[in-house]
Amino acid sequence: MDKAVDALTELEAAAELARLAADIAYHSARYHTDDAPEISDAEYDALVRRNAAIEARFPALVRADSPSEKVGAAPAGHLAKVAHAKGMLSLDNAFSREDAQEFVGRVRRYLALAEDAPMALTAEPKIDGLSCSLRYERGRLVLAATRGDGSTGEDVTANVRTIADIPETLSGDVPDVFEIRGEVYMTKAAFAELNARLAGERVFANPRNAAAGSLRQKNPEVTRERPLCFLAHGWGEASALPADTQIGVMHAIRDWGLPVSDLLIRAEGVDGALDHYAAIERMRADLPFDIDGVVYKVDRLDWQARLGQVARAPRWAIAHKFPAERAQTLLERIDIQVGRTGKLTPVARLQPVTVGGVVVTNATLHNADEIERLGARPGDRVVVQRAGDVIPQIVEVLTRDEERPKFEFPTQCPIEFGGCGSSVDREPGEVDWRCTGGLICPAQRVERLRHFVSRHALDIEGLGLTQIEDFFRDGLIHAPADIYRLSEEQLLARKKDGRVWAAKLLAGIAAKRNPPLDRLLFALGIRHVGEVTARDLARRWRSWSALRAAVDAANARRAELTPALGETEEKFTARAAKELAAAIDTPGVGPEVAQALCDFFAEAHNQAAVADLEAVLEGIADVVHETMESEVSGKTVVFTGSLETLSRDEAKAQAERLGAKVAGSVSAKTDLVVAGPGAGSKLAKAQQLGIATLDEAGWIALVARAG
Ligand code: IVH
């Protein structure tokens, strides 16, 4: 059960917001991208509401990746998919006059037109909404669909019927089948009103998100309450066309009863189109809706047909974008966010400022180097820029009081922002600082716990990823060792009639009280120590105590090293890492991995968490997965293409069980390539190098021969 928002400490709130941001993004992707939601709409909404409630109580903790900035587009329900009769295209962009002129030049060359041959273009605003296709059959609206991926969209017919701009029937002489395409959008005023009305629930980041969220509602009655508008800008399938020019068809669409932009014009050439761009740019702030550029289209439809499309954009149209919008404001402070993987991201907290119609209060500073590059200090006046959907950025520091101290990037994982106080570390050549307190860092804990029980780590039966998150949220487990301390009583308190469930879960946990060394090492989530490295280390050192002794010895040796005269810090760190690798002395473990491993065990917090784990485990088994003698023992195998009966993981595990090494790319060192359908360059390379190849069936037979 969730702790009451009022009862949360700031630390707990920061950790929970981090978790919610990741969870909501995850479930949103399952829903939108995979079309395979794992939780119900109500559960999803509950997550979003809790996020909003915590943010309302702790406004300073609002994250740059906060779901409240994005969830606008998340619909409350499931909409049916519809295939578009004709693909819904997107547009290439032009960012300058020269780009626009170059577009016209390309069109002329493609059509083999003389440089001075007349070529009319239409020009109209590019509305920041979401595109929608309206299918009219015999003048009646029969289907409305969102763009989706361009080939398949979502059926929003019932919702579209609630939009006043969109008539149920067209008037006049309309072809039998005609799909009108255009933009569903929300005016700036309606957006502000809606957000005021929704305050406390979801608020939308911008009118476009508001329009998308409103159109893709499960319940059309909700859409009806949202003031959406429509502007036509083209068409899809059509049984006949009312004109032979873009402008002619658009005027017909207007006559049939659908809104077409008042700012749509036909220009005789590119200069006229560019003048219109300048005129629209001047009106931009006063227009009732957001626009982000001007779209030019070749007017003659026979030319459009000849030009066709490249990839997903027509050759006959281009979006001339406005430059990113900027504004000046005060940089109030710089907060540091700790991500789920320990990455520290500085976030600028700004005095609220309107940039292109959106109130901006946060901007990303990316990393420590960026702060340095900008020379940004709290108290500075800065220029913020917002382009499209991207997170606002600080592009320039205007004035500064040199008296104010420089911003010091933390050397410890910031407790005040949900971190843990462990030291932070940056690897040579990397820009990001990371917290080293993996196991104990609240910001990273959930992720670490999920990793700890995951299939390739301890693989605790009955303890799924969602369950781990629930237990963490409810304070039952904070660190891996807590898993082993779960009691029947605690479990029974969570579930009515949960005896069987609790017994099973406890048995699953008990079965992993003596985990194999390689799995435990992998489960600890040490940076760069993946499954293969964990196995390499386990093979080399055979026991937990021997490995720990090797790491301790390596750390002791590092402590004795001192920089040579004139040696740069970077060189010294690299030399120390090499020494560590020598001490760890394991094939496949280079300086980078050795350093990560040694850092992990040198960190006091991790030592405590590991000691705690040792205390609850019965032991750590010395065994590693024994390998079998086979035709591929000691050989290097590459899998490529799609395997049909085996998963990649399984195939890899089989190969390793047979004593083979699995590599990701083909080289002269490869002995065997197993190629499924769709294998591309890797297979070609193998054949070129004369390397043996097998198909999946051949591989399965080989595995069977090994017994
Ligand atoms: S024409 C055949 N015209 O911008 C080309 N698109 O970035 C189809 N958009 O998916 C689009 N205003 O949703 C066109 N006046 C306009 C537009 C416009 C906004 C949207 C449209 C398209 C996206 C491409």
Side-chain angles (χ1 to χ4, degrees), residues 307-594:
L307 286 156
Q309 68 189 68
V310 221
R312 306 226 46 89
R315 277 200 197 84
W316 45 266
I318 198 146
H320 187 175
K321 301 293 274 283
F322 295 132
E325 296 193 76
R326 295 182 169 193
Q328 295 182 12
T329 190
L330 177 75
L331 170 57
E332 289 180 336
R333 35 172 235 283
I334 298 175
D335 288 350
I336 303 288
Q337 282 173 355
V338 191
R340 282 173 48 123
T341 58
K343 184 172 131 181
L344 268 55
T345 306
V347 179
R349 304 298 181 190
L350 307 167
Q351 199 170 65
V353 60
T354 308
V355 191
V358 174
V359 178
V360 170
T361 48
N362 303 321
T364 177
L365 282 162
H366 301 291
N367 52 50
D369 290 0
E370 176 72 359
I371 298 180
E372 188 76 19
R373 189 185 70 77
L374 289 164
R377 302 173 189 195
D380 289 349
R381 277 204 80 71
V382 295
V383 176
V384 266
Q385 168 174 302
R386 203 189 121 248
D389 234 12
V390 302
I391 303 169
Q393 291 178 308
I394 292 186
V395 286
E396 199 186 336
V397 170
L398 292 173
T399 51
R400 92 148 44 102
D401 176 355
E402 291 292 345
E403 300 284 281
R404 258 192 312 266
K406 253 178 96 165
F407 178 75
E408 296 289 342
F409 205 80
T411 51
Q412 278 165 343
C413 181
I415 293 179
E416 65 275 33
F417 302 123
C420 63
S422 301
S423 57
V424 303
D425 188 20
R426 167 154 87 166
E427 292 187 2
E430 284 212 8
V431 288
D432 293 318
W433 288 91
R434 285 175 188 279
C435 163
T436 56
L439 286 179
I440 58 98
C441 182
Q444 298 176 66
R445 265 185 196 159
V446 190
E447 193 58 34
R448 295 302 178 123
L449 287 166
R450 283 166 61 116
H451 175 75
F452 190 83
V453 300
S454 66
R455 202 155 62 84
H456 295 275
L458 283 210
D459 191 21
I460 296 180
E461 211 175 309
L463 193 51
L465 301 185
T466 327
Q467 205 142 49
I468 274 283
E469 301 216 342
D470 290 348
F471 288 175
F472 175 80
R473 188 191 54 217
D474 300 346
L476 261 65
I477 51 175
H478 297 97
D482 298 331
I483 295 170
Y484 294 93
R485 295 200 190 92
L486 283 171
S487 69
E488 189 178 12
E489 202 185 345
Q490 278 175 317
L491 295 178
L492 288 180
R494 302 179 62 84
K495 214 178 206 171
K496 223 173 127 219
D497 302 325
R499 266 185 198 288
V500 177
W501 166 74
K504 270 197 177 157
L505 180 51
L506 291 173
I509 295 169
K512 300 293 159 74
R513 276 194 191 271
N514 193 8
L517 175 55
D518 56 337
R519 282 199 174 238
L520 181 78
L521 261 180
F522 174 60
L524 290 177
I526 303 165
R527 212 161 130 70
H528 301 308
V529 180
E531 264 181 286
V532 174
T533 306
R535 215 166 294 149
D536 288 345
L537 285 164
R539 282 201 184 113
R540 164 67 179 90
W541 292 99
R542 320 236 29 121
S543 75
W544 173 246
S545 55
L547 174 73
R548 288 299 305 273
V551 171
D552 290 347
N555 272 328
R557 191 144 151 203
R558 170 162 62 172
E560 282 164 13
L561 290 181
T562 45
L565 206 64
E567 191 176 36
T568 62
E569 196 183 323
E570 211 170 298
K571 285 233 167 82
F572 174 63
T573 314
R575 182 161 65 89
K578 267 198 192 143
E579 291 270 342
L580 292 176
I584 299 300
D585 183 29
T586 302
V589 174
E592 192 182 28
V593 182

Side-chain angles (χ1 to χ4, degrees), residues 89-91 124-127 131 147 183 233 295 297 314 316:
L89 302 180
S90 65
L91 290 168
E124 73 203 290
K126 181 167 191 299
I127 300 127
S131 49
R147 176 169 181 272
E183 216 68 4
H233 52 58
V295 183
K297 296 171 189 165
W316 45 266

Side-chain angles (χ1 to χ4, degrees), residues 632 634-640 660-675 681-683 685-694:
V632 290
K635 303 248 163 93
T636 299
V637 180
V638 171
F639 292 96
T640 178
K661 212 176 134 202
V662 178
S665 60
V666 176
S667 73
K669 288 189 192 144
T670 311
D671 298 296
L672 175 67
V673 171
V674 180
S681 59
K682 288 185 195 172
L683 179 58
K685 188 160 176 202
Q687 283 160 346
Q688 201 188 338
L689 292 172
I691 294 167
T693 61
L694 275 183

